[in-house]
Amino acid sequence: MLKRTFVHLPGVGFRTEAHFWRQGLVTWEDFLVVEGVSGLGSARLRWLQAELQQSLVHLDEPGYFAPRLPVGEYWRAFRHFRAKAAYLDIETSGASWPHLLVTVVGLYDGRAMRQFVQGHNLEEFPEALEDVDLIVTFNGSQFDLPVLKAYFPHLRLPPLHLDLRFLLTRLGFKGGLKRIEPRFGIRRPPAVEHLDGYDAVLLWERYQRGDRTALDLLLEYNREDVANLETLMEQAFEMCQGLLVGGGPGDKLSAFNSQLSAIKKKRLKLTAES
DNA sequence: GAGAAGACACCTGTAAAACT
DNA sequence: AGTTTTACAGGTGTCTTCTC
């Protein structure tokens, strides 16, 4: 998907990208061998081709694409950097900063789940993040990452951050994580099915008073939050990509953004009716 | 080659939303 | 309850094409 993307090039927006796709210039390779493109002067075409060559040179560097891609289009890089992607969710004491305490951090790389607990191994978390290129959260841009950044001032965050909240909203799935999960067929174990973030605060307080089972439950709740992010990300990516490549080349590709918009309106209408 | 018209990217301000 | 990023809409400036 990354190599079908042109909006990371200077002066290329969604309309121009759609224009390229309509002309059969679907991938970087297509664009690099073309002699002329309507709407583009030859000098600008050569300049854009040189820029694409640079994109190929830096293909495996997330830090190259992060400042160039619109944030809302980071999902296009998901598959490419998936091998070094991680899913993250934190629990806190619920207080306001500077009294806020990070109690649990869950980090899942698609193979192994790691959890970092206040008073046990929380200080190991920054190191665990060092090898991650792409982080996936739900509303992390507004909660998890700012909190972690404040808590660990020298934390190195991955170059690419995918916030599922906004990607799912674009696909027509509005609401919090717990509300959206069932719509993707996700069901939580009975023990944590009805828990929310505030319950996580209460569980931590119970644990502080000596109830070890409260911590176990809190960790299970956090594991569910983190693991489900992978399921949601996979399906959201499939939905987005399916709109691009599902039915054929050019025309489907060019209609992508308008289809996203149409789907969003349709879902909102259905939600309102139901 | 110059001017006009159109298309487009980009900037700014505002409102909405979900996390613990 | 506070935070703050994002989506969205509207305005503006730039670039390209077209016509003469």
Side-chain angles (χ1 to χ4, degrees), chain A residues 203-216:
Chain A
L203 284 170
W204 179 256
E205 289 174 359
R206 270 176 53 192
Y207 168 64
Q208 289 301 291
R209 291 195 296 270
D211 183 352
R212 170 72 205 191
T213 61
L215 178 62
D216 293 338

Side-chain angles (χ1 to χ4, degrees), chain A residues 179-200:
Chain A
R179 183 177 158 196
I180 291 173
E181 282 178 357
R183 299 175 70 182
F184 282 81
I186 297 171
R187 285 211 60 182
R188 295 188 172 217
V192 295
E193 190 176 5
H194 300 295
L195 298 182
D196 61 18
Y198 184 60
D199 291 312

Side-chain angles (χ1 to χ4, degrees), chain A residues 226-241:
Chain A
V226 179
N228 291 345
L229 291 179
E230 184 189 34
T231 309
L232 289 172
M233 185 62 236
E234 288 286 351
Q235 293 197 37
F237 180 87
E238 290 295 336
M239 289 175 77
C240 292
Q241 186 178 242

Side-chain angles (χ1 to χ4, degrees), chain A residues 87 89 91 106 108 113 115 177-178 181 186-193 195 216-232:
Chain A
Y87 309 87
D89 185 58
E91 317 301 333
Y108 179 54
M113 175 76 69
Q115 288 178 296
L177 185 62
K178 278 68 173 180
E181 282 178 357
I186 297 171
R187 285 211 60 182
R188 295 188 172 217
V192 295
E193 190 176 5
L195 298 182
D216 293 338
L217 195 55
L218 175 59
L219 291 176
E220 184 178 355
Y221 167 75
N222 177 257
R223 272 197 301 275
E224 284 295 316
D225 269 2
V226 179
N228 291 345
L229 291 179
E230 184 189 34
T231 309
L232 289 172

Side-chain angles (χ1 to χ4, degrees), chain A residues 3 17 26 35 52 55 72 77-78 81 83 98 119 146 149 158 178 199 207 231 245 251 254 262:
Chain A
K3 288 170 81 174
E17 181 184 65
V26 178
E35 299 284 336
L52 275 185
S55 298
F78 170 64
F81 295 107
K149 195 71 184 166
K178 278 68 173 180
D199 291 312
Y207 168 64
T231 309
V245 300
D251 290 344
S254 66

Side-chain angles (χ1 to χ4, degrees), chain A residues 16 19-20 22-23 25 31 34-42 45:
Chain A
T16 302
H19 177 67
F20 293 162
R22 272 196 299 275
Q23 297 194 31
L25 305 173
F31 199 91
V34 75
E35 299 284 336
V37 179
S38 78
L40 277 187
S42 60
L45 172 61

Side-chain angles (χ1 to χ4, degrees), chain A residues 116-188:
Chain A
F116 305 89
V117 181
Q118 177 69 238
H120 292 269
N121 62 343
L122 187 60
E123 67 282 358
E124 295 171 15
F125 166 69
E127 191 184 336
L129 205 57
E130 278 180 8
D131 205 34
V132 175
D133 278 346
L134 183 154
I135 196 94
V136 180
T137 67
F138 189 92
N139 201 39
S141 55
Q142 287 162 46
F143 184 74
D144 303 64
L145 299 193
V147 168
L148 286 172
K149 195 71 184 166
Y151 205 80
F152 298 102
H154 302 296
L155 183 70
R156 187 208 72 98
L157 289 171
L160 293 166
H161 170 222
L162 268 170
D163 192 332
L164 271 171
R165 175 189 160 192
F166 297 105
L167 185 58
L168 291 169
T169 296
R170 283 172 69 190
L171 290 166
F173 298 96
K174 291 184 78 173
L177 185 62
K178 278 68 173 180
R179 183 177 158 196
I180 291 173
E181 282 178 357
R183 299 175 70 182
F184 282 81
I186 297 171
R187 285 211 60 182
R188 295 188 172 217

